Amino acid sequence: TFDNLVEVVGSVHHPTDMSGGPFPVIVLLHGRHSAMYNPGTNATSNSWPPSGSFIGIPSYDGYDFLASHLASHGYIVISVSANAISASDNGDSFGDYGMQARGELIQHHLDLWNGWNTSDATGPFGTDFVGKLDLTNVGTLGHSRGGEGVITHALHNEDLGRPYGVNAVFTLAPVDFNRPIVTGIP
């Protein structure tokens, strides 16, 4: 649970030929950094939400090279934005440095994709992804605070009765603020 409004934004890469499937899913989560910038001055800020001439930094696009490569090998890759969390996770009221919020953000994205995977033609993709995601075969990758965030997500998913089959958790140079431990998932 997070006090601020959190954006639900990301990028999606998928196999060129979507006639097969369902395809395994990989969720990517970036680390902490400035949340927005002014394109006219290149000034950055760690405030949220963007206002005036500031816009959100699309950090989720930073994994495009990896996401494209993984998609070419038959994965649907979803890279999510966590700027609102990064902008607020150092305050005294967030003793866990926003890790639970990051875990819940990933779960929220998977919940949305579950709807778009089943029949929700009202979503942003129409019926393009209906039946295309294998949500029993999910992997996550996070860098820095995103690294601890994907661990927190795996534990959160377990607490919810494992609605998604998180079968792999990869932490890339993770922080270890809260020292969560995932067992039983490579």
Side-chain angles (χ1 to χ4, degrees):
T1 306
F2 200 68
D3 292 340
N4 292 344
L5 292 177
V6 176
E7 75 276 24
V8 179
V9 176
S11 65
V12 182
H13 291 79
H14 57 81
T16 304
D17 180 3
M18 293 280 285
S19 62
F23 300 97
V25 176
I26 298 175
V27 180
L28 307 175
L29 183 63
H30 64 80
R32 184 175 195 274
H33 51 78
S34 297
M36 60 183 182
Y37 77 105
N38 180 325
T41 65
N42 286 328
T44 61
S45 174
N46 210 23
S47 299
W48 199 261
S51 61
S53 56
F54 280 83
I55 61 174
I57 295 174
S59 294
Y60 55 88
D61 284 340
Y63 292 113
D64 279 354
F65 70 98
L66 175 61
S68 294
H69 181 72
L70 292 168
S72 76
H73 288 278
Y75 294 93
I76 293 178
V77 185
I78 304 158
S79 182
V80 302
S81 179
N83 285 343
I85 297 168
S86 291
S88 306
D89 62 2
N90 267 349
D92 291 336
S93 60
F94 304 108
D96 73 344
Y97 296 97
M99 294 310 156
Q100 186 64 34
R102 286 176 173 84
E104 290 176 10
L105 178 64
I106 292 172
Q107 196 76 8
H108 180 69
H109 275 270
L110 289 173
D111 289 343
L112 289 171
W113 279 98
N114 187 42
W116 300 329
N117 188 45
T118 53
S119 64
D120 190 356
T122 62
F125 307 106
T127 59
D128 291 350
F129 286 94
V130 172
K132 300 302 179 186
L133 286 82
D134 180 359
L135 293 170
T136 67
N137 194 8
V138 175
T140 59
L141 177 147
H143 170 248
S144 190
R145 289 197 190 193
E148 189 169 329
V150 296
I151 292 171
T152 304
H153 169 257
L155 297 171
H156 180 61
N157 187 62
E158 290 282 332
D159 288 345
L160 295 174
R162 203 170 149 86
Y164 305 109
V166 178
N167 298 320
V169 176
F170 184 75
T171 60
L172 180 62
V175 297
D176 193 15
F177 295 133
N178 302 297
R179 303 202 186 316
I181 297 172
V182 173
T183 58
I185 301 174

